[in-house]
Amino acid sequence: STVYKGRELDDLEPVVDALVKTLPSQEEKIIRLHYYQNSRFDLIAQELGISKGRVSQMHRSALHRLSLHYDELKLVRNEY
């Protein structure tokens, strides 16, 4: 049900936030700008003073680092 999915997402939010905080600072900033503030890579590149291609590389690296911690996310999954 939608209510349960919303509650599950609420439970995961602090875990995801904690994982994002483990990233190197520029990767964390890219993830936060892109996913939390819906910024495009070209705007992120301009803000950070790097190329759009470099933002893309760092984004990919950040997602890889986060995927390595996928099991941590599964540990907090509750059955509703």
Side-chain angles (χ1 to χ4, degrees):
S1 133
T2 309
V3 172
Y4 296 124
K5 289 211 181 282
R7 184 164 170 209
E8 187 173 1
L9 288 174
D10 288 345
D11 289 348
L12 284 175
E13 189 174 336
V15 176
V16 172
D17 193 54
L19 287 174
V20 169
K21 286 179 182 174
T22 70
L23 294 171
S25 62
Q26 259 197 321
E27 288 182 10
E28 178 185 358
K29 187 160 195 155
I30 288 167
I31 293 297
R32 291 191 184 283
L33 286 170
H34 187 62
Y35 291 103
Y36 292 48
Q37 298 178 21
N38 298 314
S39 291
R40 299 185 326 248
F41 283 1
D42 58 330
L43 298 176
I44 295 170
Q46 189 175 23
E47 182 171 328
L48 298 180
I50 58 178
S51 72
K52 182 179 170 185
R54 185 68 183 130
V55 170
S56 179
Q57 289 174 339
M58 294 179 80
H59 173 262
R60 190 169 44 251
S61 174
L63 291 182
H64 177 71
R65 288 178 204 273
L66 293 173
S67 74
L68 295 176
H69 297 290
Y70 177 73
D71 287 337
E72 291 179 41
L73 290 177
K74 289 196 305 188
L75 287 175
V76 300
R77 182 185 174 103
N78 293 317
E79 296 300 323
Y80 294 107

